[in-house]
Amino acid sequence: MADKKAQLIIEGNAPVELPVLTGTVGPEVIDVRSLTATGRFTFDPGFMSTASCESKITYIDGDKGILLHRGYPIEQLAEKSDYLETCYLLLNGELPSKEEKAQFVSTIKNHTMVHEQLKTFFNGFRRDAHPMAIMCGVVGALSAFYHDSLDIKNPQHREVSAMRLVAKMPTIAAMTYKYSMGQPMMYPRNDLNYAENFLHMMFNTPCEIKPISPVLAKAMDKIFILHADHEQNASTSTVRLAGSSGANPFACIAAGIAALWGPAHGGANEAVLTMLDEIGSVENIDKYVAKAKDKDDPFKLMGFGHRVYKNFDPRAKVMKQTCDEVLAELGINDPQLELAMKLEEIARNDPYFKERNLYPNVDFYSGIILKAIGIPTSMFTVIFALARTVGWISHWKEMLSGPYKIGRPRQLYTGYEQRDLPDDRG
Ligand code: CMC
């Protein structure tokens, strides 16, 4: 809705009037679309001040530490909902009725298996390949297997692709792990819930089917809920950008997985554990905190800070509580955990971190929980990708169901002006 105007005055020119848009909540947004007619662009690397789209899915107030999915606070979803219900909410805009939920769960279960031939893809990868490298390749390859849902202009095709992705991601993630272990891949079990089935495919073998711990399955489900969506972050924006060119959904999600992999984004949960390994023991914490504060040292405390949350990360609060529950249940007394808790305490009280509002983020705790569950570090970002797939596909669907343009940012060019190749170059 535009009810105000902003005026942009560029010296020596008539003022340019720009509409000011208001959302349901959140800051006003200056609509600069008409600026191009004046022959000028805005400059905002890193999108620090730029809304790239309009969306109804997720709202974040970084100063107040608020995260809402379709209006519902993340804390309430983590406590009272489950992952598949949260998926339904993200995809459809409303919580499901009992019948709708049952139907949704049953549809997801119908799609949990992958094409048998997809298994052969794995053999092309080295056994020591990073699981995220395999995920980028295999998820992208789904477009070669599911031709019947690739018409992006057909809402039914978009729906089927969304279901397939949500249903198959745990299977593919677990296949990736089994491949790295040299163990047989496990078929999904539709008598289990989403999180239980994932743990089954990860940790059971055809020789030994152990019951899945309800505490660990609940923790896994919470990790999935807490990572399900996070508005226009780097990977979601990548999915939207790829989708804006008309690329198929599986290719778009593969692009999202690639963007998520970086340590400044989803790769942070893996980087936290690598950092704890590097720090080694409590005695070394001061040295590493000093490194993190030193501007000449590229070292950063992984799992601290967030582009949007400048007060606290509401997901981290829930995650910390789940972390305490899991560790208590498993009776784990891990020196690395003690190290993590000490690091958290020191960083929380250090003026450098306080002044810059650097708080532990969701990835600081999720890594610790995943480690306690027995998931290897290299799989952490895969689990983030699995959970975030529903967010990515919800944004992709939202974009495609309304009017959209191909994403095509402009630039501030600072290279050479036109010049000629010399005739004689020796
Ligand atoms: N350790 C030490 N200093 C930091 C850290 C850190 N983790 N994060 C930010 N800073 C400093 C930074 O050097 C800068 O200092 P100064 O103002 O003196 O130049 C100041 O804090 C502001 O940081 P920024 O880099 O301008 O902030 P940003 O919004 O561009 O970056 C971030 C956000 C998440 C990329 C960054 O905080 C970071 O690299 N954190 C570690 C990686 C991490 O945990 N990422 C997971 C994010 S949560 C999962 C997700 O949603 O993807």
Side-chain angles (χ1 to χ4, degrees):
M1 201 174 72
D3 40 18
K4 262 197 223 171
K5 297 253 185 268
Q7 273 200 348
L8 177 69
I9 300 169
I10 304 166
E11 245 178 51
N13 292 273
V16 183
E17 284 220 325
L18 299 168
V20 177
L21 310 179
T22 49
T24 15
V25 270
E28 293 176 333
V29 172
I30 301 166
D31 180 349
V32 294
R33 280 175 292 183
S34 59
L35 202 59
T36 177
T38 72
R40 295 183 179 86
F41 305 123
T42 53
F43 180 62
D44 185 21
F47 296 93
M48 298 289 287
S49 305
T50 297
S52 62
C53 63
E54 183 190 326
S55 180
K56 292 181 170 48
I57 301 175
T58 290
Y59 173 73
I60 300 175
D61 183 331
D63 294 328
K64 296 197 185 122
I66 292 173
L67 168 60
L68 310 177
H69 291 323
R70 303 288 191 181
Y72 296 108
I74 190 66
E75 297 87 343
Q76 291 181 24
L77 289 168
E79 196 196 324
K80 299 181 188 162
S81 182
D82 60 41
Y83 180 67
L84 281 186
E85 188 174 60
T86 304
C87 289
Y88 184 99
L89 175 69
L90 287 167
L91 286 162
N92 299 296
E94 295 296 338
L95 287 169
S97 65
K98 249 188 173 163
E99 296 71 38
E100 286 166 335
K101 165 111 187 262
Q103 180 57 49
F104 182 75
V105 170
S106 144
T107 309
I108 292 293
K109 287 186 172 178
N110 269 336
H111 286 291
T112 48
M113 282 200 297
V114 293
H115 195 291
E116 273 300 290
Q117 221 175 321
L118 195 77
K119 275 193 199 163
T120 56
F121 254 76
F122 285 82
N123 296 329
F125 289 97
R126 282 170 54 138
R127 291 273 174 189
D128 62 355
H130 193 285
M132 283 297 277
I134 302 182
M135 291 298 288
C136 289
V138 172
V139 174
L142 292 178
S143 42
F145 286 84
Y146 300 105
H147 294 146
D148 58 338
S149 63
L150 293 186
D151 178 2
I152 61 160
K153 296 206 169 68
N154 182 330
Q156 237 177 334
H157 279 216
R158 299 202 292 263
E159 187 64 27
V160 174
S161 288
M163 293 298 188
R164 281 182 166 149
L165 277 156
V166 172
K168 291 181 200 311
M169 283 300 275
T171 315
I172 297 171
M175 286 167 89
T176 304
Y177 173 61
K178 288 297 195 191
Y179 181 73
S180 71
M181 296 291 286
Q183 287 183 3
M185 291 165 180
M186 297 295 288
Y187 285 108
R189 265 183 53 192
N190 289 351
D191 58 318
L192 300 176
N193 71 30
Y194 195 84
E196 288 167 342
N197 175 47
F198 175 62
L199 292 174
H200 157 73
M201 292 187 290
M202 285 286 291
F203 297 120
N204 280 332
T205 66
C207 331
E208 195 177 10
I209 305 282
K210 285 186 268 176
I212 303 300
S213 149
V215 177
L216 299 193
K218 194 169 153 234
M220 201 70 243
D221 199 68
K222 274 205 180 145
I223 290 181
F224 292 157
I225 296 176
L226 294 175
H227 286 88
D229 189 42
H230 213 225
E231 56 118 296
Q232 312 308 326
N233 53 81
S235 56
T236 303
S237 300
T238 301
V239 170
R240 279 188 179 256
L241 197 57
S244 77
S245 75
N248 76 66
F250 303 107
C252 294
I253 300 302
I257 294 173
L260 186 76
W261 194 357
H265 191 8
N269 52 14
E270 178 176 348
V272 169
L273 270 280
T274 311
M275 174 189 76
L276 293 175
D277 272 344
E278 191 186 328
I279 298 177
S281 68
V282 175
E283 298 80 64
N284 295 330
I285 291 182
D286 287 344
K287 186 176 115 196
Y288 279 89
V289 169
K291 269 165 79 64
K293 296 192 305 192
D294 179 356
K295 289 286 152 233
D296 297 324
D297 192 321
F299 177 80
K300 276 189 173 179
L301 278 193
M302 299 317 281
F304 284 80
H306 198 274
R307 166 57 65 79
V308 182
Y309 296 120
K310 299 300 179 193
N311 187 340
F312 68 92
D313 179 342
R315 303 167 302 169
K317 265 193 172 176
V318 181
M319 204 58 105
K320 182 168 167 40
Q321 196 190 337
T322 310
C323 185
D324 294 343
E325 284 164 17
V326 168
L327 297 169
E329 173 70 21
L330 295 175
I332 284 183
N333 207 352
D334 184 344
Q336 201 171 46
L337 187 71
E338 194 197 328
L339 174 63
M341 294 306 145
K342 194 84 196 145
L343 179 67
E344 181 202 340
E345 189 193 314
I346 291 176
R348 267 183 186 281
N349 294 312
D350 188 301
Y352 172 95
F353 291 89
K354 280 167 78 175
E355 280 157 19
R356 287 167 181 76
N357 297 318
L358 301 170
Y359 298 88
N361 57 48
V362 67
D363 285 334
F364 186 73
Y365 301 108
S366 67
I368 296 166
I369 304 177
L370 292 172
K371 185 178 179 222
I373 293 178
I375 291 174
T377 316
S378 61
M379 282 294 292
F380 288 5
T381 316
V382 171
I383 285 165
F384 193 157
L386 183 174
R388 183 55 60 84
T389 294
V390 71
W392 291 330
I393 205 73
S394 301
H395 283 270
W396 175 82
K397 274 182 74 196
E398 179 180 65
M399 184 180 73
L400 291 191
S401 34
Y404 65 97
K405 288 180 97 61
I406 184 168
R408 187 11 175 130
R410 303 305 299 260
Q411 61 171 7
L412 170 67
Y413 176 70
T414 52
Y416 286 111
E417 288 182 29
Q418 181 171 330
R419 51 184 178 157
D420 295 320
L421 277 168
D423 288 333
D424 177 15
R425 291 194 283 152

